[in-house]
Amino acid sequence: MAKIKAIRGMNDILPEQTPVWQYFEQQVQAVLSSYGYSEIRTPIVEQTDLFKRSIGEVTDIVEKEMYTFEDRNGDSLTLRPEGTASCVRAAEEHGLLYNQVQRLWYRGQMFRHERPQKGRYRQFHQIGVEAFGMQGPDIDAEVILLTARLWRQLGLLDSVTLQLNTLGSSEARARFKHDLVVYLSERKEQLDEDSLRRLDSNPLRILDSKDAATQALLDDAPHFHDYLDDESREHFETLKALLDKAGVAYEVNPRLVRGLDYYCKTVFEWVTLELGSQGTVCAGGRYDGLVEQLGGKSTPAVGFAMGIERLVLLLETLGAIPASVHRTVDVYIASMGDAAAAEALLLAEELRADNAFRVQLHCGGGSFKSQMKKADRSGAAVALILGDNEVARGEVTLKPLRIDAEQQQLPRDRLAESLAGFINA
Ligand code: ATP
Ligand code: MG
């Protein structure tokens, strides 16, 4: 019978890769805690309308990327394509937003039916942050500083650049949009195919176009920064000053617009040149109108999402993964004979007390040579060997596996201290 395979664009993350994922996730979690963010977990499936109403009907995601299906009741459900909508829905539903400040984060799978390629998948993972109830540029600065700190801790800061822009108020954007459409409509024949389609549906996305002719056309088009409202201009200037003061470098990119409808004022992306065309590893901005758009009371909000696959790829590409990440076992226990095997089971339990050591116990017998081969492959720093002689004398043989040193007999009751020396070496 033909074997069933995974769905295209949906990846298994194999045991040799998970240590890197765990390392990355632990680093992010530690940074998030140090800024006082709390985790929120929401379902993977939501009512389709949630995404239609938040992301916007004429975005790529809603038009062609969502996994939408009818459940057995005939309700239209969608696998979440991003985390912000669910986070707002949950926070609003449980009364977390009214007259409160919230600093939240989430992590998990997202689903988009895109063309799979390096750094772009149909199931992918994001970690995101949403800060509610704060309208000033100080919180924008905080979320950006948080990401900068994370890159620094991961050794990535030299490989990413921060692109920054402001989208102003919705009124300013509407005036700009009008003039941009007038300008481009008079030059339709010079637009690429995608941009031509967006002219009616989502003209701001044209600023994002990768087409050289379209980009050239935009040089002489109306410039958004001439339309900016005073409040947004001041917000942006203060944000830039805060980042300058904190020593976070950025590039103002007036063509950065983001794919989703709900952004206003600040938008930003962290971009790398190391991953080819899928270079955006983290993206976000302010979305003051979204809570109200979803039926809540008007609530200022700012957030971002980072793509875990792309950041893991970046860590691997740069070789920025500490060697200790791949060492998942400290001690391998081998034994010869039935009595020793029974004793080995107990020894392993002893060493695992208080999670002191990561112990892999050899099970299933076999020759000494084959057990030592497995010990070596486990990545453990030392092998402990128990035979009938050792058991009779209350001793254990310790064999260092990663350094050139003699094996030694150690009394069982002093084993833990000796082990610590080898493992931390
Ligand atoms: P892109 O321009 O690359 O399509 P996007 O603007 O659609 O990105 P967002 O919706 O802002 O991306 O998601 C935030 C981050 O999630 C991205 O910067 C990226 O790192 C990651 N991401 C988005 N889509 C995918 C995908 N299909 N596969 C892997 N990672 C993704
Ligand atoms: Mg996309």
Side-chain angles (χ1 to χ4, degrees), residues 40-74:
I40 183 165
R41 301 188 183 192
T42 64
I44 285 177
V45 187
E46 298 273 357
Q47 294 191 34
T48 302
D49 278 346
L50 175 67
F51 302 115
K52 283 197 177 163
R53 272 165 61 182
S54 58
I55 296 169
E57 297 262 10
V58 292
T59 54
D60 285 350
I61 292 182
V62 173
E63 275 184 341
K64 48 188 195 206
E65 295 175 0
M66 291 204 304
Y67 280 89
T68 296
F69 60 97
E70 262 189 23
D71 77 355
R72 287 172 193 273
N73 302 328

Side-chain angles (χ1 to χ4, degrees), residues 174-412:
R175 278 185 287 119
F176 169 65
K177 214 189 265 187
H178 174 267
D179 289 2
L180 182 70
V181 170
V182 168
Y183 172 87
L184 292 175
S185 299
E186 288 163 0
R187 294 160 181 84
K188 267 185 183 165
E189 67 292 343
Q190 296 175 56
L191 282 175
D192 63 279
E193 202 181 308
D194 268 348
S195 297
L196 195 58
R197 197 169 47 79
R198 286 176 173 149
L199 192 56
D200 295 321
S201 59
N202 198 350
L204 288 186
R205 283 302 301 282
I206 296 175
L207 301 185
D208 240 1
S209 169
K210 305 269 189 292
D211 185 79
T214 299
Q215 281 298 334
L217 194 59
L218 288 169
D219 287 339
D220 299 321
H223 285 268
F224 180 63
H225 284 225
D226 299 332
Y227 293 74
L228 206 53
D229 52 296
D230 289 342
E231 194 198 325
S232 298
R233 188 187 308 279
E234 203 173 303
H235 188 101
F236 196 49
E237 291 307 317
T238 310
L239 171 62
K240 286 189 294 179
L242 289 170
L243 293 177
D244 289 337
K245 212 161 175 205
V248 174
Y250 56 84
E251 244 168 55
V252 175
N253 175 1
R255 304 222 171 136
L256 181 66
V257 287
R258 310 286 307 117
L260 315 180
D261 265 1
Y262 52 57
Y263 287 106
C264 64
K265 289 185 179 158
T266 311
V267 286
F268 67 91
E269 287 190 2
W270 285 97
V271 183
T272 179
L273 298 174
E274 306 278 346
L275 298 180
S277 50
Q278 268 58 253
T280 303
V281 294
C282 175
R286 181 164 279 283
Y287 53 95
D288 293 343
L290 181 60
V291 176
E292 195 172 16
Q293 199 174 309
L294 290 175
K297 192 169 156 276
S298 171
T299 306
V302 56
F304 64 79
M306 57 180 103
I308 304 185
E309 280 82 357
R310 290 185 195 177
L311 283 156
V312 165
L313 260 172
L314 185 58
L315 285 169
E316 286 169 349
T317 306
L318 298 171
I321 301 157
S324 59
V325 167
H326 289 289
R327 274 202 301 271
T328 53
V329 178
D330 300 318
V331 179
Y332 193 94
I333 302 186
S335 62
M336 295 305 296
D338 290 346
E343 201 54 39
L345 190 70
L346 301 184
L347 176 63
E349 287 300 313
E350 263 168 54
L351 294 176
R352 289 175 185 136
D354 302 322
N355 299 324
F357 299 101
R358 299 172 298 176
V359 181
Q360 205 167 95
L361 175 68
H362 182 86
C363 291
S367 72
F368 182 71
K369 201 170 149 203
S370 83
Q371 292 194 36
M372 282 303 112
K373 245 192 208 156
K374 288 184 175 130
D376 192 47
R377 243 182 278 144
S378 75
V382 302
L384 296 178
I385 302 151
L386 279 177
D388 291 343
N389 291 343
E390 279 93 347
V391 173
R393 291 199 302 264
E395 286 182 345
V396 176
T397 299
L398 182 154
K399 183 175 160 59
L401 296 173
R402 311 293 152 203
I403 51 169
D404 199 14
E406 288 294 302
Q407 67 177 42
Q408 44 187 293
Q409 310 280 323
L410 294 167
R412 184 96 170 246

Side-chain angles (χ1 to χ4, degrees), residues 65 112 114 120:
E65 295 175 0
R112 297 184 194 173
E114 303 194 71
R120 191 178 295 286

